[in-house]
Amino acid sequence: MNRSDGLVRRVKARDTDSNGGSSSSAANNAEQEENKVEQEDDLDDCDSKETRLTLMEEVLLLGLKDKEGYTSFWNDCISSGLRGCILIELGLRGRVELERAGMRRKGLCTRKIILKSDTPTGDVLLDEALKHIKETCPPETIQSWIEYLSGETWNPLKIRYQLKNVRERLAKNLVEKGVLTTEKQNFLLFDMTTHPLTDNVIKCRLVKKIQDAVLTKWVNDPQRIGKRMLALILLAHASDVLENAFAPLNDDDYELAMRRVRELLDLDFEAESAKSNANEVIWAVFAAFTK
């Protein structure tokens, strides 16, 4: 299958530290982890290799109005939800991890997030967040980082960690990938840049993928759901945009889909994070949004 013209090639930056050694090893480990993520993506979305989107882009795409090209003015959850997506992306790509639980078994919400590899991801937003995490000492919790990256903190020393214009930057990424376009809309007192949908196939595929995950492809075991899909469902819910994926369903399927999402939200995140092959960063982000 030919790749679409809007595809942005993922470039893996390599650490060029002249000392080699541990830096080179960290880079190799990060690349191996990212390869695992890509393999999981292939299993989750094996029907297409076109226009691969990040978690942040997928959540934003779900939240954007197709023709208007902007998110609901009443949605005050998507900002923090996108920051949660950023932290999960860094976890999936092997750049960050949680500190050890220790003998006293610290909870997910109290454990600090620490740097695992500072190898650049090639994504500007991810690398900006990674740089902040690397420079912060002592480390902070997942909840704190969601607040810092969102700018929702009373600590003036932490304001510099805020990631600005995240929605606009993600929308521009989607424009480059041929999914959205850019227009100017006049709202009486001001002009606003909007990003209407141009490639409806990509969004339809995204919506169908989510619907299938909770309906036809549902498995009653969160450990058997792909990590990226699980993150997409729960972060879309935390961002208050999951409803947009379920809106086209008939009443019975809608009720079934929502019931299964509630089952995921009712899980014991601490217990799930302790299971083999679990990514603790993902579960810590879930726990932060359900506190």
Side-chain angles (χ1 to χ4, degrees), residues 210-270:
I210 295 173
Q211 292 175 354
D212 287 347
V214 295
L215 293 173
T216 60
K217 296 182 180 179
W218 173 254
V219 288
N220 197 25
D221 179 1
Q223 297 298 327
R224 293 172 56 201
I225 301 175
K227 294 182 178 67
R228 184 171 291 275
M229 175 51 66
L230 184 65
L232 175 58
I233 293 170
L234 294 189
L235 266 295
H237 179 274
S239 302
D240 198 19
V241 299
L242 187 60
E243 173 76 19
N244 297 341
F246 293 162
L249 297 172
N250 61 51
D251 290 347
D252 290 340
D253 284 344
Y254 177 87
E255 289 299 327
L256 179 59
M258 290 304 299
R259 184 167 72 248
R260 286 171 173 171
V261 171
R262 287 192 292 270
E263 289 175 12
L264 294 176
L265 293 169
D266 290 339
L267 288 170
D268 183 337
F269 296 151
E270 296 283 353

Side-chain angles (χ1 to χ4, degrees), residues 34 162 263:
E34 191 155 351
Q162 181 182 6
E263 289 175 12

Side-chain angles (χ1 to χ4, degrees), residues 3-258:
R3 294 178 181 270
S4 63
D5 294 337
L7 180 62
V8 175
R9 183 181 179 185
R10 178 182 292 170
V11 178
K12 297 177 184 175
R14 296 177 181 274
D15 194 333
T16 55
D17 186 353
S18 59
N19 294 327
S22 60
S23 177
S24 176
S25 176
N28 289 335
N29 289 338
E31 287 190 6
Q32 290 173 5
E33 191 70 25
E34 191 155 351
N35 286 336
K36 291 180 181 178
V37 173
E38 290 177 352
Q39 290 170 5
E40 184 175 282
D41 286 347
D42 292 341
L43 293 175
D44 283 346
D45 192 19
C46 58
D47 61 327
S48 173
K49 300 301 179 186
E50 294 183 2
T51 317
R52 188 181 299 278
L53 306 181
T54 64
L55 276 175
M56 304 89 75
E57 292 166 351
E58 289 179 323
V59 168
L60 179 64
L61 187 55
L62 287 174
L64 285 173
K65 300 175 184 292
D66 293 354
K67 295 180 179 179
E68 294 85 348
Y70 53 83
T71 57
S72 171
F73 294 125
W74 309 109
N75 188 339
D76 57 359
C77 301
I78 195 168
S79 178
S80 57
L82 290 173
R83 273 64 174 188
C85 290
I86 289 172
L87 294 174
I88 286 181
E89 278 282 2
L90 290 174
L92 286 173
R93 299 186 186 206
R95 298 324 194 261
V96 298
E97 61 185 356
L98 291 189
E99 65 177 343
R100 294 184 180 279
M103 295 295 292
R104 296 186 179 182
R105 298 296 303 173
K106 292 181 181 177
L108 287 172
C109 292
T110 59
R111 291 164 65 187
K112 308 297 177 62
I113 191 168
I114 58 177
L115 187 72
K116 186 176 180 181
S117 168
D118 61 357
T119 305
T121 65
D123 182 285
V124 176
L125 277 172
L126 293 181
D127 290 341
E128 188 176 335
L130 188 64
K131 179 175 179 288
H132 291 327
I133 293 172
K134 179 181 179 181
E135 294 174 349
T136 301
C137 187
E140 299 278 4
T141 63
I142 289 280
Q143 179 69 55
S144 295
W145 273 115
I146 291 173
E147 294 172 359
Y148 296 160
L149 297 177
S150 303
E152 298 174 357
T153 174
W154 294 102
N155 188 337
L157 299 178
K158 306 296 184 179
I159 291 295
R160 63 191 180 92
Y161 293 142
Q162 181 182 6
L163 297 180
K164 298 181 179 179
N165 303 317
V166 168
R167 269 176 272 189
E168 179 64 20
R169 291 159 74 181
L170 289 172
K172 287 182 177 179
N173 287 349
L174 291 170
V175 170
E176 292 178 1
K177 294 180 179 182
V179 182
L180 306 177
T181 188
T182 302
E183 294 181 357
K184 286 284 186 181
Q185 295 283 347
N186 181 268
F187 289 87
L188 297 179
L189 300 177
F190 63 94
D191 289 334
M192 186 175 80
T193 301
T194 61
H195 300 282
L197 186 70
T198 58
D199 190 341
N200 191 50
V201 174
I202 297 297
K203 185 163 185 177
C204 286
R205 184 182 297 134
L206 172 62
V207 168
K208 186 176 187 304
K209 182 173 68 171
I210 295 173
Q211 292 175 354
D212 287 347
V214 295
L215 293 173
T216 60
K217 296 182 180 179
W218 173 254
V219 288
N220 197 25
D221 179 1
Q223 297 298 327
R224 293 172 56 201
I225 301 175
K227 294 182 178 67
R228 184 171 291 275
M229 175 51 66
L230 184 65
L232 175 58
I233 293 170
L234 294 189
L235 266 295
H237 179 274
S239 302
D240 198 19
V241 299
L242 187 60
E243 173 76 19
N244 297 341
F246 293 162
L249 297 172
N250 61 51
D251 290 347
D252 290 340
D253 284 344
Y254 177 87
E255 289 299 327
L256 179 59
M258 290 304 299

